[in-house]
Amino acid sequence: LVFDTPDPIIFSAVTDNDGNVFLGTGHDGKVYKVDDGGNGSVLADLDELDVLALAIDDDVLFAATSPNGKVYRITPDGDTKEFFDPGARYIWSMVFDRGGQLLVATGDEGVIYRVNEDGEGEVFYDSEETHIITMAMDNAGNVIAGGDPKGYVYRISDSGQPFVLYD
């Protein structure tokens, strides 16, 4: 056992360059910071119930929530501000593209947004799925995304052009 959180679910985890692990939990909307020695503490206590996704850029952590899908920007000292609100119920996954912009995968409409450093977002890809559940970047800079309920795995180019890799 490295760290024991009192929360019933850990939905997401990311690590920073210093070896700290950040945990997004539910159903109390907390983000924990755990150092490499297993010492953990609450970094942020959000107004939402679940922290479904985390992404980190340098020293800044981004936390995505449900049931009112919003992205929060959390500084190393725990200062928390709303960063992006796509108007979605769920934000399932986040990843940074090669240009340093945050990609935000949502559900109930299966839309991926591209968000700039000022928190301004635009539709990057509007799928035929209800949810885009997971994303990763491949070595060529394409987004690999998994959807629900069709279960397709997509490769989406930097310009937003999709190709179904797996049906």
Side-chain angles (χ1 to χ4, degrees):
L1 180 66
V2 176
F3 176 71
D4 188 11
T5 169
D7 297 273
I9 300 171
I10 297 173
F11 282 112
S12 52
V14 295
T15 59
D16 67 11
N17 292 332
D18 296 327
N20 297 303
V21 178
F22 298 89
L23 305 171
T25 67
H27 299 300
D28 201 21
K30 289 188 173 81
V31 176
Y32 291 88
K33 178 182 179 180
V34 183
D35 67 20
D36 59 2
N39 303 304
S41 61
V42 175
L43 179 64
D45 188 354
L46 304 176
D47 292 334
E48 301 295 327
L49 294 177
D50 299 323
V51 181
L52 298 178
L54 296 170
I56 196 160
D57 183 36
D58 295 322
D59 290 337
V60 179
L61 182 68
F62 294 85
T65 63
S66 174
N68 297 306
K70 295 179 181 176
V71 177
Y72 293 88
R73 184 180 187 274
I74 306 169
T75 62
D77 63 1
D79 182 41
T80 303
K81 293 184 179 161
E82 186 177 313
F83 179 71
F84 176 65
D85 182 355
R89 186 157 173 81
Y90 306 98
I91 298 177
W92 294 111
S93 183
M94 296 185 298
V95 66
F96 283 93
D97 66 13
R98 283 187 164 175
Q101 294 188 49
L102 185 64
L103 298 175
V104 176
T106 67
D108 286 335
E109 296 181 11
V111 175
I112 300 173
Y113 293 89
R114 181 178 272 161
V115 184
N116 68 22
E117 63 186 20
D118 296 323
E120 298 164 349
E122 63 183 13
V123 174
F124 168 67
Y125 176 63
D126 188 352
S127 76
E128 294 179 9
E129 300 277 5
T130 304
H131 304 276
I132 298 294
I133 300 292
T134 188
M135 293 186 300
M137 298 298 294
D138 71 10
N139 291 336
N142 299 302
V143 176
I144 306 299
D148 173 71
K150 295 180 180 181
Y152 292 170
V153 176
Y154 301 89
R155 179 182 63 222
I156 308 164
S157 71
D158 188 54
S159 64
Q161 296 300 311
F163 178 80
V164 175
L165 291 175
Y166 181 78
D167 177 352

